[in-house]
Amino acid sequence: MKMKRRTFLKASATVGAVAALSGPQLNAFAESARPSKGVSSAAGEWKKTTCQGCTTWCPAEVLVQDGRAVRVRGNQLSKQNQGFLCPKGHLSLQLLYDPDRVKVPMKRTNPKKGRGVDPQFVPITWDEALNTIADKMMELRKAGTPEAFAVLRGRYTYMRDTIYAALPKVFGSPNGISHSAICAEAEKFGSYYTAGYWGYRDYDLDNTKYLLIWGCDPVSSNRMIPATIRAFGDLLDRGAIAVVDPKLTTSAAKAQEWLPIKPGEDGALATAMAHIILTEGLWNKEFVGDFTDGKNLFKAGQEVDEATFTETYTNGVVKWWNIELKDRTPEWAEKITGIPKEQILRVTRNMAKAAPNVAVWLGPGAAMHVRGAYTAMAIHALNGLLGSVDAEGGALATAKIPVNKIPKFDAYQDELAKEHSHMKKIDLRGSKEFPALKKGKSGGGVVTNAVADNILADKPYPVKVVIGYMNNFVFSCTGAERWEKALEKIPFLAHITTHASEFTQYADIVLPACITKYEKLGYVKTKANKYATCTLVQPVVKPLWDLKMDETEIPWLIAEKLKERGFPNLLDYFTNEFKDPETGKAPTNGLEFTEYNLKNQTAPIWDGKKDIGGDKINGWADFRKRGLWNSDAYPFKKRWGHFHTKTEKFEFYSETLKEALSKHAEKHKTTIDDILETCKYEARGEHAFVPHYEAPYRWGDRNEYPFDFVDYKSRLNREGRSQNAPWYQEFKKVDPGDESWEDVVKINPADAKKLGIADGDMVKLTSVVASITVKAKLWEGIQPGTVAKCYGQGHWAYGRVAAKNYATFEPRGGNNNYLMPYDTERLSGSNVRNGGFTGVKIEKV
């Protein structure tokens, strides 16, 4: 039978009503269930798993009573979160027992695709769904075009390479495309091309005396939330916190200093702070070095002879001064940033006084804009000047987590696969326009959001069959309407998902997925509090419906179907290379394959063959019971003298970036200056190799679009997947300036008065690409000339709570990603969503 959207949800409600309305949600906040010193008095068993509500990836425990999950907490053995979770972790219970979850495989019966078009999904068997997918894939191999197949990956566990790498490449496609570039690659660029570390930093908050938070809100998001919440109060008592952000964040509301910077002008503030540190002799002599005669020669506007300064663990501080910093005075920065020079001086001096026990916490808000790579370098370079890199209380790398990669699959590629899996990827990474210089390699990174344009343009070739999992690019990527058109164009699309998201509405086959944290088996790597952690995602409850695990079980089932059609290579790889490391038994089904795969990857942690430090795990059963492995504490000053840079030093003048840009330019037979111009940067010559200020690149003439739009994340956002939970809507007011069950744009009262807008009025925000209509919230926590709106609302699918009217595609509020145009920070490949790059106008409706 055909099942319309409205009918589908009614049926779902019947199946899920008992689970949604009974014990789990009531018990979660029951007084009698609250633990004493981390131990619950309620009956049941605490089972170990991992929360994946954000990329903090906290080790977690779930209280299971009579087979149902009723409460959550942090893993009591964890040194990463010390046994606590943030609100995101608790919110997940409503996602597990959401009556709107996809419960059975479905196929599309309406060939027309588009927003507002009912797919007319009908339920089918797993066998029919998998047969259809395998048939479509084999059509490509028979046509000699396996590269026309792609896997679009969203959030993941480290079991990802089974579906993301092995599946497409053994089949014959290069196209395993990750979501990473829509997350925060630009900030990694900053730490890599100064300190040689491509990754998210850890911060020693227990010993920090001054914390400068820049472009993020770490008590709400940004990868170590419970640890930050725990440490925040003590840090305020012990030292000081300053926050650089255009809006009053939760962190800023608690901090001693809030620097409400004009969006995109972060580089001006960072270089001015560096100028002050040098002119006032506040740099860390142990780490940076000093003038040979001890006399400070850094004077505003004056060049310095490089021979007069002897550096210790850094490279190019005088070059940086001469090329960029000598004229970056606080007076100059005041005019650009809107921050008084007195505050710039005060914050810089107080921070330097506390050094090296200082952490400058770089977040995506300061880096994810068109010219954000050099801003990221400038901000992270402050850690270098202050000697706080790998210092007690400073910005740290992380300990190594000793796990194995999946086995090599080259031997299972036939000639067609070997040839076509090396073709250009559909994101065109490494092209002249998109260097994507991850870890110094041209094309080393991903350019996720470019895929939509390339699908539409058939670049570098047509895409015909796509599998997506745990992703919703049509909602989560800027320039979202492009993705609508791209998904309409794809001839065959399969979506592995827990909910019928916007992406799902374009699918031909929908596969119901186990939900991470509760029903899935895998592992992730995480860090915080100086510890690296390998933590297991475990199925703590039995699924209520016939679901499969997205990264392992479904690829196995597809491999079986491909073998039936004469292509055994993938199943042979899975069977031969993923044997149980304890018994040597080969997997015979998807569940065995999942477990053996996990055991093989994590074997160094639990098999006892090598002393790896950290927790002592006594075998696989002990690892499953504990749920995690904690490393030894990260040793301070570990990288001093051997940074992973070209000079092996912390680079203020980046020889590492110079080499990477040179190789990319040579690859395209052009100059570095031409590459920078193509990438929309202003820098030329030697400026290309030092952290420097670039004027923000903005979409929209200020005369027509006078307001800078600020996108930010809620402390309740499980990325874009929280909005169908009533708890999310009810408690949305916990975010400063937000309201429950509403989607509001925050406007400074002075601006609202000029526009004749009152609190609660409906207003239309218009950019150069789209308009959305939302409720006005007059709020002093946003500076004049700037408006702010939380990401997350605006779903026209996903369920009956997320959408205002799921059956008629009516969204609840507006999606920021429709309003923000598509653009890229090209040097890293990062999607752009910050830095004032979107200009908007506001009209009262």
Side-chain angles (χ1 to χ4, degrees), residues 758-777:
D759 193 60
D761 284 347
M762 297 303 294
V763 296
K764 183 170 73 171
L765 303 180
T766 302
S767 69
V768 296
V769 294
S771 297
I772 59 175
T773 299
V774 292
K775 184 178 178 180
K777 174 74 173 184

Side-chain angles (χ1 to χ4, degrees), residues 459-480:
K459 291 183 178 179
Y461 40 75
V463 175
K464 296 182 179 179
V465 177
V466 171
I467 296 176
Y469 84 94
M470 209 171 177
N471 68 332
N472 191 12
F473 293 162
V474 74
F475 184 84
S476 61
C477 287
T478 57

Side-chain angles (χ1 to χ4, degrees), residues 146 149-151 162-176 413 421:
F149 171 70
V151 173
T162 308
I163 187 172
Y164 166 68
L167 171 58
K169 290 186 178 179
V170 172
F171 180 76
S173 172
N175 293 311
Q413 291 180 300
S421 65

Side-chain angles (χ1 to χ4, degrees), residues 676-717:
L676 291 172
E677 183 177 4
T678 302
C679 294
K680 300 185 179 181
Y681 274 97
E682 298 175 316
R684 301 292 183 270
E686 290 284 87
H687 261 93
F689 316 126
V690 297
H692 65 267
Y693 168 70
E694 297 247 353
Y697 186 97
R698 190 178 192 268
W699 285 71
D701 182 86
R702 284 198 179 274
N703 292 322
E704 185 176 359
Y705 304 97
F707 293 93
D708 291 331
F709 181 78
V710 174
D711 167 88
Y712 68 95
K713 307 299 181 285
S714 168
R715 66 191 309 180
L716 301 180
N717 271 11

Side-chain angles (χ1 to χ4, degrees), residues 612-624:
I612 59 171
D615 294 344
K616 303 303 178 185
I617 309 295
N618 298 313
W620 173 244
D622 186 41
F623 190 33
R624 290 289 300 264

Side-chain angles (χ1 to χ4, degrees), residues 55 105 378 456 492 833 839:
T55 46
L456 291 169
F492 182 81
R833 62 174 68 254

Side-chain angles (χ1 to χ4, degrees), residues 190 194 274 320 375-386 389 650-652 691:
T194 51
W320 186 27
T375 301
M377 289 177 68
I379 294 170
H380 194 64
L382 296 175
N383 285 307
L385 286 178
L386 298 169
V389 178
F650 188 99
E651 295 184 343
F652 298 120

